[in-house]
Amino acid sequence: MAEPNLVLGWFAAFVGAIGFGSFAVPIKGDAATKVDIDPLVMQSYKSLMCFLTSWLVVLLGQEVTFTWWGVVSGLFWVPGGAFNIFAIRNAGLAISQGIVASSIVMVSFIWGNIIFKEPAKSQIMAYSAVWLIMAGLYGVSHFS
C-alpha cells in the first residue's frame, strides 16, 4: 500500500467539505421545493451522480476493485442521505446541517478512534475537542 500523502489528504478534505457543505443547496431551491421531490427520489439522484462520477478516478489511474465493504457503506449512506434530505426540507438547511455535521464528527471519531484504533496524542483532549465541536455546531443550529 502506498504511503499516504498528507498535502493531498488535506486538499481532498477541503474539496470534500465544500462539496458536502453545498450539496444541499439545490434541495432547498425553488425548483425542488415547488415540485416537492420525495427525499428518496432526491437521494436516488445523489446516488446516481455518485456512481457516475466515481468512475472519474479511473482516469487518474486508480485500479477498479470490488469489495463488499462498499455495499455495506452504501447501506449506511443511502438511508442517512435520505434522512438528511428530509431534515433539510423540514428543519431548514442551517439547522439540519449543523446537527448532522456535529453528529458526523462524533460518529466518525468513534469509528476511527475506538473501532479502527487510530491514535490520538491525547484521548482526553481529542474527545473534549469533539464535544466542543458538537456543542458549537449544535449552538449554531439552535440559535439560527
Side-chain angles (χ1 to χ4, degrees), residues 20 43 47 50 66-82 111 116:
F20 277 119
Q43 178 62 33
S47 297
C50 182
F66 176 82
T67 175
W68 283 104
W69 288 113
V71 175
V72 172
S73 177
L75 291 173
F76 285 110
W77 185 67
V78 170
W111 274 102
F116 294 116

Side-chain angles (χ1 to χ4, degrees), residues 7 9 12 16-17 21 23 36 39 48 59 62 66 68 73 78-80 100 106-107 111 119 123-124 126 129 131 137:
V7 173
F23 87 92
D36 194 28
L48 175 64
L59 299 175
Q62 182 66 39
F66 176 82
W68 283 104
S73 177
V78 170
V100 168
M106 179 51 87
V107 171
W111 274 102
Q123 292 289 100
I124 292 172
W131 281 107
L137 288 170

Side-chain angles (χ1 to χ4, degrees), residues 94-95 97-103 105 132-142:
I95 292 172
Q97 291 304 92
I99 298 296
V100 168
S102 64
S103 301
V105 167
L132 282 172
I133 290 170
M134 288 183 65
L137 288 170
Y138 176 78
V140 167
S141 297
H142 181 73

Side-chain angles (χ1 to χ4, degrees), residues 1 5-6 13 18 21 33 42 52 56 59 61 66-68 74 76 85 89 91 93-95 111 113 115 118 128 143:
M1 183 174 204
N5 182 327
L6 189 61
I18 298 297
T33 303
M42 187 64 88
L52 294 174
L56 294 175
L59 299 175
F66 176 82
T67 175
W68 283 104
F76 285 110
I85 292 166
R89 302 283 302 279
L93 187 60
I95 292 172
W111 274 102
N113 188 253
I115 307 301
E118 295 174 353
S128 297
F143 295 107

Side-chain angles (χ1 to χ4, degrees), residues 23-39 41-43 45 85 88-89:
F23 87 92
V25 172
I27 295 167
K28 288 294 290 185
D30 291 338
T33 303
K34 205 181 310 181
V35 294
D36 194 28
I37 298 173
D38 186 88
V41 172
M42 187 64 88
Q43 178 62 33
Y45 296 152
I85 292 166
I88 293 164
R89 302 283 302 279

